[in-house]
Amino acid sequence: MKIAIYPGSFDPITYGHLDIVKNASEIFDKVIIAVANNSAKKSFLSVSERVELINSSIKEFTNVEVDSFDGLTIEYAKKRGANVLIRGLRAVSDFEFEMQLSQTNKALCADIKTVFLTTKPEYNFISSSAIKEILQNGGDISKFVPNVVCEYLISKN
Ligand code: ADP
């Protein structure tokens, strides 16, 4: 059984993330979206809000679940019996950081492999931080996030 963990901040989940999830769900037996509880990173949504919005956005996928974790991703992946970590790549600018992260994780546990996926071109440029900026400046975010996320963010803003 190939279990993949897709870790990240998901503050909030976007169509970019969801396209990665769709691809991963077609490749692996089980995909666990893992919301990192990273206290060093200032977030807009709490971990439980992010988990709830992800849950409402992944109903169509039968082999995808969402969870949250503290501490090292690789330790969480081991605990969940995962073989794979999934990360998304948008642009060359993501590459250096993601390469370093994957090599660090490989040094910590060689058995767990990082797999990089990309999205459809129309979702490639979407980032959670751009969405928060558009939202806070009164712009339209409905093209970038599922309806349930859009409505929640507007009500919270
Ligand atoms: P993190 O803080 O761990 O980078 P994010 O929620 O920003 O968390 O992103 C999680 C993962 O999803 C990262 O690997 C990121 O590169 C990827 N990702 C986010 N948005 C996109 C997108 N539009 N296309 C491809 N990958 C994406």
Side-chain angles (χ1 to χ4, degrees):
M1 174 120 165
K2 294 272 180 238
I3 301 176
I5 304 279
Y6 179 26
S9 307
F10 305 101
D11 185 35
I13 187 144
T14 70
Y15 282 142
H17 293 125
L18 285 167
D19 201 41
I20 300 275
V21 169
K22 179 177 185 296
N23 283 297
S25 75
E26 290 165 5
I27 301 170
F28 301 105
D29 299 306
K30 181 169 162 182
V31 177
I32 303 167
I33 304 175
V35 178
N37 189 6
N38 182 352
S39 50
K41 228 175 169 178
K42 203 178 162 293
S43 64
F44 179 63
L45 299 169
S46 69
V47 170
S48 58
E49 287 174 309
R50 285 180 260 162
V51 167
E52 207 164 303
L53 290 176
I54 293 169
N55 241 328
S56 310
S57 307
I58 57 168
K59 295 213 158 81
E60 70 191 272
F61 305 113
T62 52
N63 61 341
V64 180
E65 62 174 70
V66 57
D67 192 10
S68 61
F69 71 101
D70 294 288
L72 292 177
T73 306
I74 205 81
E75 292 305 322
Y76 173 75
K78 278 193 227 165
K79 201 176 88 191
R80 296 299 310 258
N83 334 74
V84 170
L85 294 179
I86 294 169
R87 294 290 288 176
L89 284 179
R90 279 164 289 200
V92 179
S93 51
D94 280 339
F95 183 79
E96 203 171 324
F97 173 76
E98 294 293 345
M99 187 70 167
Q100 191 183 27
L101 189 63
S102 74
Q103 286 173 342
T104 306
N105 282 328
K106 180 153 263 182
L108 292 172
C109 179
D111 293 342
I112 299 178
K113 319 274 191 287
T114 299
V115 170
F116 295 109
L117 294 173
T118 56
T119 64
K120 287 184 194 163
E122 61 262 43
Y123 297 142
N124 189 54
F125 65 94
I126 303 175
S127 70
S128 299
S129 48
I131 282 157
K132 285 178 276 191
E133 194 159 337
I134 297 167
L135 177 76
Q136 280 154 9
N137 288 288
D140 179 11
I141 56 166
S142 61
K143 286 205 282 282
F144 312 129
V145 294
N147 276 346
V148 60
V149 176
C150 184
E151 282 165 18
Y152 188 81
L153 292 179
I154 291 170
S155 74
K156 191 179 160 89
N157 191 35

